[in-house]
Amino acid sequence: MIIILYILIAVFLFIASFWIQTLSAGKTQLSPRFFPQVILLCIIFLNIIWLYQIIKDPEADVVFKKISKEKKIRLTKTIIISLLFGILFNWLGAIPAILLCVLGFLWAWNIRKPLILILFPVGISLGIYLIFSKFLSVRLPMGIFKGLF
Amino acid sequence: MFDNFLMGLYSILQPINLFSVLVGVVSGITIGALPGLSATMGAAILLPFTFVMEPIPAIAMLSALYCGATYGGSISAILINTPGTPAAAVTTLDGYELAKKGKAGKALGASVIASGIGGLFSVLVLMLVAPQLAKIAITFAAPEYFALAIFGLSMVVNIKSGNELKNIIGGLTGLFLATVGMDRLTGFSRFAFGNVHLLSGINFIPVMIGLFAATEVFRLAETWDKSEIIETDFSDLLPKISEILPLKWSILRSAIIGTFIGILPAEGGTVAAFISYNEAKRWSKHPEKFGTGILEGVTAPETANNAATGGAMIPTLTLGIPGSSTTAVILGGLMIQGLRPGPLLFVQQPNFIWSIFVAMAIANIFFLFAGLFGVKIFAQVTRIPINILAPIIMVLCVIGSYALHNNIADVWIMLIAGLMGSLFRKIGFSPVPIVLGMVLGELIEVSLRQTMIIFDNNLSIFFTRPYSAVFLSLAILSVLWPFIRKSFKKR
């Protein structure tokens, strides 16, 4: 399934490559299309070989290892919190996003001690603020709090 | 050479530079000792801290981290039978057996001594070989660079963590990603699909942070279990001279193997450690004792994986071709500092180059002392629960990607790379070929097109110029080698 998706994406990109502008007088040099087109053709060709190998011998391919339900849930929560982190980082601002997401991560990774759940996110947020914002002068996003501080 | 060495020594002895090396070593040993966190990941999460630093302390810190983490991997390998870094996987075979016999202290002592010797040997080779190689490389023109980059990329076929076909597909995927954005020669947009952020291309730093660090968080989420620690006796740390002296040839052989493997692009400490362990076993008078808990089973892989650090820096600094995944991150660090790795760096910035050489030597001496006198503290690191570390790693991934250009698009590139890396790993892809493809992509394309312009589309030029012909022949051999080896095995 993944291979077919990979081939389809490569085919789409190959077709899209024909929309890349080229120099009309540039007959003496390789056009900007040439290199990506060669790579995409190679990717398509090698994926077809891979697909053929799997059809010929399905056991030769890597089989997804089964993981326990608990770990599956932990992974799903980690992915969701990471994506939320990306959204909140810009919208809510870096420090509140770190505070909330570290709390979320700890919860997802089965930490239930109230003291850790309170102190750790606060400590990390404060540490990041001091190191990156104050010491390294990185302009962290302020999000909806822009203008308040 | 001696003058350059003194210049580098003087520069690195400046308090800020020395402090950076110390920070790099301590963070490296700590990260290396933590199971599941590799040297590459450590370098990736430490990278953002170098953005505002001067080039010498920044790269000295990353290089020192590389040395420290490679050694640090042996601590958890010996104490909890879980290699802190992939390069320490072989160390578990005899290291943990020694720990079970109550000789963990001795195993840790032997490991740090062997690592120090391996590291220092490779730095010496780095100091001797790199400037000479740079002198040759300075004569290279576009065809040689194209051939060299192709040779570097061809090494992905031999990466042990994936199969050949998937490694090639990974390398090509990296090459494709490098073409996204504005074309360097014409300025025309490619695959940006109207997105302003994509117009400037996909920077390989957030991709690397995603592939090496964020992916680890996702992997740990689905694999982590509480690990058990065996109680350890640290009273007998220094092995007796009578125990180490008989291993001198084994250590020297491993140092040579490690340095040589390290020089090969894309190969790293893991391969070096495996080969050295096998060679030590093959040359031993008592091969049956390997795996039962003998010091040689610890010293051989540890010498080799640390020797690979200096070796891997040779192609990175002289040719701009990463010798390992960690040096790919260091290469990224160099580019952030506005430095272009390659032979010109040796001519334009000799002070910088020699400072890094000396920094690596000092890093090896630092961790020798830290390992002998601070191993009790570093051993406690293995007790830090992963569920406390995971959020810190993810926060550093996000901040690090953002801090690169103060751009949220880089955070999304990192997150997508992390998720894709997770999926790729599940289907048997190694992230290294993708990164190598991205790092070398621009060099390959630009040098190919420049060659075609200069030599009027004459492809035979690649085979009529000696260096380019040699590199391309090596590349062809490198790609075909696994298949030749397989056909020999079948016979």
Side-chain angles (χ1 to χ4, degrees):
Chain A
M1 184 64 192
I2 291 168
I3 310 170
I4 296 168
L5 190 69
Y6 208 157
I7 295 171
L8 287 176
I9 292 171
V11 169
F12 166 75
L13 290 169
F14 184 77
I15 296 166
S17 71
F18 285 98
W19 272 264
I20 296 171
Q21 222 177 327
T22 51
L23 287 169
S24 52
K27 297 246 190 250
T28 52
Q29 62 167 286
L30 296 177
S31 86
R33 285 177 196 172
F34 174 78
F35 193 66
Q37 282 182 339
V38 171
I39 295 166
L40 287 165
L41 278 177
C42 291
I43 290 176
I44 295 166
F45 176 68
L46 292 175
N47 271 296
I48 291 169
I49 294 177
W50 182 18
L51 188 64
Y52 171 75
Q53 281 182 352
I54 292 174
I55 293 167
K56 215 173 102 181
D57 183 13
E59 284 179 11
D61 199 49
V62 176
V63 182
F64 277 72
K65 282 179 192 163
K66 279 188 180 171
I67 54 170
S68 66
K69 197 182 169 188
E70 184 200 349
K71 286 176 181 173
K72 209 179 274 180
I73 292 170
R74 188 167 67 198
L75 175 66
T76 313
K77 282 179 184 171
T78 306
I79 292 172
I80 292 170
I81 296 167
S82 302
L83 294 175
L84 273 175
F85 195 2
I87 297 167
L88 294 178
F89 191 73
N90 206 32
W91 179 71
L92 198 61
I95 302 303
I98 292 169
L99 193 79
L100 288 175
C101 291
V102 170
L103 183 68
F105 276 123
L106 292 176
W107 190 263
W109 287 63
N110 283 334
I111 288 180
R112 295 290 181 270
K113 287 180 184 169
L115 204 63
I116 296 178
L117 286 173
I118 296 166
L119 290 182
F120 195 68
V122 174
I124 292 285
S125 310
L126 200 65
I128 292 288
Y129 174 73
L130 290 174
I131 294 170
F132 282 90
S133 204
K134 292 288 166 193
F135 182 60
L136 298 175
S137 308
V138 174
R139 279 192 308 138
L140 295 172
M142 297 295 285
I144 54 170
F145 297 103
K146 199 175 182 178
L148 282 179
F149 300 103
Chain B
M1 184 187 147
F2 193 65
D3 288 347
N4 285 329
F5 174 79
L6 286 179
M7 184 172 64
L9 184 66
Y10 176 75
S11 163
I12 221 67
L13 287 178
Q14 303 297 313
I16 181 71
N17 297 341
L18 211 55
F19 180 70
S20 303
V21 175
L22 185 66
V23 170
V25 169
V26 173
S27 341
I29 301 177
T30 311
I31 288 164
L34 286 161
L37 310 192
S38 63
T40 313
M41 182 189 164
I45 56 177
L46 205 69
L47 197 60
F49 293 96
T50 68
F51 294 169
V52 291
M53 291 167 80
E54 290 293 315
I56 292 177
I59 305 305
M61 186 164 80
L62 291 175
S63 310
L65 177 136
Y66 185 24
C67 300
T70 310
Y71 152 67
S74 69
I75 297 175
S76 53
I78 291 165
L79 294 181
I80 55 170
N81 198 25
T82 310
T85 58
V90 199
T91 313
T92 57
L93 299 176
D94 281 272
Y96 188 64
E97 288 301 318
L98 279 164
K100 280 203 291 191
K101 290 177 187 169
K103 292 179 181 173
K106 195 161 274 186
L108 288 166
S111 156
V112 73
I113 291 169
S115 300
I117 294 171
L120 285 170
F121 176 86
S122 72
V123 173
L124 189 68
V125 175
L126 173 69
M127 287 175 179
L128 292 171
V129 173
Q132 306 311 320
L133 198 61
K135 274 182 194 165
I136 299 170
I138 209 150
T139 62
F140 288 1
E144 283 78 20
Y145 273 109
F146 171 75
L148 182 65
I150 289 288
F151 169 58
L153 191 66
S154 73
M155 295 304 286
V156 300
V157 180
N158 298 296
I159 290 171
K160 293 282 181 275
S161 47
N163 80 18
E164 295 86 7
L165 188 64
K166 288 174 187 174
N167 285 340
I168 300 173
I169 295 173
L172 288 168
T173 307
L175 280 183
F176 172 75
L177 291 174
T179 67
V180 174
M182 220 174 328
D183 175 37
R184 271 282 300 270
L185 297 186
T186 60
F188 294 148
S189 159
R190 298 191 294 191
F191 307 106
F193 300 106
N195 188 315
V196 184
H197 298 298
L198 284 179
L199 207 59
S200 54
I202 300 175
N203 192 304
F204 75 89
I205 307 274
V207 175
M208 248 179 348
I209 296 175
L211 286 176
F212 291 121
T215 299
E216 278 303 314
V217 175
F218 299 136
R219 188 187 64 81
L220 289 168
E222 63 172 331
T223 57
W224 176 70
D225 282 309
K226 280 181 184 170
S227 42
E228 292 294 322
I229 290 181
I230 59 168
E231 287 309 317
T232 311
D233 175 22
F234 291 109
S235 58
D236 196 15
L237 255 180
L238 269 177
K240 292 180 188 117
I241 295 178
S242 60
E243 288 174 307
I244 289 288
L245 214 58
L247 308 178
K248 58 181 182 297
W249 296 119
S250 164
I251 290 176
L252 180 67
R253 186 175 49 240
S254 304
I256 295 168
I257 292 172
T259 309
F260 178 72
I261 301 277
I263 294 172
L264 297 177
E267 298 289 352
T270 314
V271 181
F274 270 100
I275 293 176
S276 285
Y277 186 83
N278 282 337
E279 284 306 303
K281 197 174 170 181
R282 204 162 65 87
W283 285 75
S284 171
K285 286 175 186 163
H286 307 286
E288 73 285 352
K289 285 188 180 173
F290 276 77
T292 61
I294 56 167
L295 282 183
E296 196 178 356
V298 174
T299 54
E302 282 307 309
T303 310
N305 63 27
N306 271 81
T309 56
M313 288 297 272
I314 295 175
T316 311
L317 292 174
T318 55
L319 308 167
I321 304 220
S324 67
S325 49
T326 315
T327 50
V329 182
I330 297 175
L331 198 109
L334 279 164
M335 287 173 171
I336 289 166
Q337 295 293 335
L339 300 167
R340 178 93 206 167
L344 275 179
L345 201 59
F346 283 73
V347 179
Q348 292 164 347
Q349 307 264 359
N351 182 33
F352 169 80
I353 287 290
W354 280 89
S355 300
I356 300 309
F357 292 171
V358 178
M360 284 189 79
I362 289 178
N364 280 291
I365 296 165
F366 267 172
F367 82 64
L368 196 62
F369 283 101
L372 287 174
F373 301 109
V375 73
K376 283 183 198 173
I377 301 162
F378 290 118
Q380 298 305 315
V381 167
T382 55
R383 293 174 190 264
I384 298 175
I386 290 293
N387 51 358
I388 290 285
L389 282 171
I392 301 177
I393 297 167
M394 190 49 89
V395 167
L396 288 174
C397 287
V398 170
I399 297 276
S401 314
Y402 179 81
L404 185 65
H405 296 123
N406 286 352
N407 190 347
I408 192 72
D410 286 333
V411 174
W412 284 106
I413 288 172
M414 181 279 294
L415 285 171
I416 292 167
L419 288 170
M420 293 306 288
S422 216
L423 182 71
F424 279 169
R425 195 170 281 196
K426 272 176 176 286
I427 55 172
F429 276 91
S430 161
V432 181
I434 302 171
V435 170
L436 206 63
M438 282 194 83
V439 171
L440 297 176
E442 191 184 302
L443 180 64
I444 291 177
E445 185 184 10
V446 171
S447 54
L448 172 70
R449 287 167 66 185
Q450 280 174 343
T451 307
M452 291 297 101
I453 294 168
I454 298 165
F455 298 96
D456 203 19
N457 290 336
N458 179 12
L459 272 173
S460 66
I461 196 73
F462 292 115
F463 297 95
T464 51
R465 292 170 72 101
Y467 285 124
S468 132
V470 168
F471 287 132
L472 282 180
S473 308
L474 286 172
I476 293 166
L477 186 71
S478 161
V479 172
L480 295 179
W481 180 244
F483 304 101
I484 297 169
R485 202 174 47 199
K486 272 183 192 170
S487 71
F488 270 114
K489 272 186 185 171
K490 274 182 189 171
R491 282 179 202 175

